[in-house]
């Protein structure tokens, strides 16, 4: 818990989690495909839950890239806190409780300069949030439809 007090450690932990989790899933998908001697595309077509997990893993990688991009630019702490708050809610809605907890700890311990983000940087931030929201909504709708199957 003490290690999470450092913003750099906690941010890197969140980024690592968001990158390693999809990598493990892709490796699992490759192993199952290799074991069953069928192509990954065919495997995803046969098991609809894998298609949903594939979409969710892509979204997680996009979130990691967005967080890295947002924190590496001169966006200011307010923009980063907005993105982390949004990500925490999104992680809860998609069922990633560990990711939501990591977002909470990074957001809670995040401090930075009070530089106002430029219009271009705000547009990048809101575009990333909009894209993540759209894909999350699609994932949630698919998950609701799959409950009846």
């Amino acid at each position: 818990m003490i290690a999470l007090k450092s913003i750099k450690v906690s941010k890197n932990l969140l980024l690592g989690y968001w990158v390693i989790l999809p990598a493990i899933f892709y490796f699992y998908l490759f192993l199952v495909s290799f074991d069953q001697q069928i192509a990954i595309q065919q495997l995803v077509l046969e098991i609809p839950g894998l298609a949903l997990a594939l979409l969710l893993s892509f979204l997680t990688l996009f979130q990691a890239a967005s967080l890295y991009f947002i924190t590496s630019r001169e966006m200011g702490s307010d923009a980063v806190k907005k993105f982390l708050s949004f990500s925490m809610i999104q992680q809860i809605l998609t069922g990633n409780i560990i990711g939501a907890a990591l977002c909470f700890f990074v957001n809670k311990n995040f401090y930075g300069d009070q530089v106002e983000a430029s219009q271009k940087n705000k547009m990048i931030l809101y575009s990333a949030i909009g894209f993540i929201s759209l894909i999350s909504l699609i994932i949630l709708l698919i998950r609701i439809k799959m409950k009846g199957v």
Side-chain angles (χ1 to χ4, degrees):
M1 202 61 171
I2 293 172
L4 287 178
K5 296 274 184 195
S6 169
I7 185 62
K8 186 170 181 157
V9 171
S10 57
K11 183 189 87 157
N12 288 339
L13 185 65
L14 177 61
L15 281 173
Y17 176 75
W18 277 349
V19 169
I20 290 174
L21 195 66
I24 291 172
F25 172 72
Y26 294 143
F27 184 68
Y28 166 77
L29 195 60
F30 171 74
L31 287 178
V32 170
S33 169
F34 183 75
D35 182 50
Q36 293 186 1
Q37 300 288 328
I38 59 174
I40 292 176
Q41 296 89 350
Q42 188 65 30
L43 187 65
V44 169
L45 287 174
E46 289 177 7
I47 306 171
L50 282 180
L52 186 63
L54 193 66
L55 188 61
L56 192 57
S57 65
F58 159 74
L59 182 64
T60 304
L61 281 176
F62 183 79
Q63 268 184 293
S66 297
L67 179 63
Y68 179 78
F69 184 74
I70 288 169
T71 56
S72 67
R73 294 181 64 103
E74 296 291 325
M75 286 245 179
S77 62
D78 189 44
V80 176
K81 283 184 168 281
K82 283 180 186 177
F83 182 78
L84 288 171
S85 298
F86 163 76
S87 293
M88 183 176 56
I89 294 168
Q90 185 272 338
Q91 293 287 294
I92 290 171
L93 289 176
T94 55
N96 190 353
I97 304 302
I98 296 171
L102 287 173
C103 286
F104 173 76
F105 288 122
V106 173
N107 195 12
K108 180 180 172 191
N109 296 325
F110 191 82
Y111 55 90
D113 50 358
Q114 296 297 331
V115 175
E116 182 66 27
S118 68
Q119 282 300 108
K120 180 181 175 186
N121 288 342
K122 284 183 181 179
M123 189 62 135
I124 291 170
L125 172 72
Y126 293 130
S127 297
I129 288 175
F131 180 74
I132 292 168
S133 298
L134 178 68
I135 300 298
S136 297
L137 183 65
I138 291 170
I139 290 171
L140 289 174
L141 290 175
I142 292 171
R143 185 183 287 173
I144 290 169
K145 287 287 189 180
M146 285 181 61
K147 291 254 184 196
V149 176

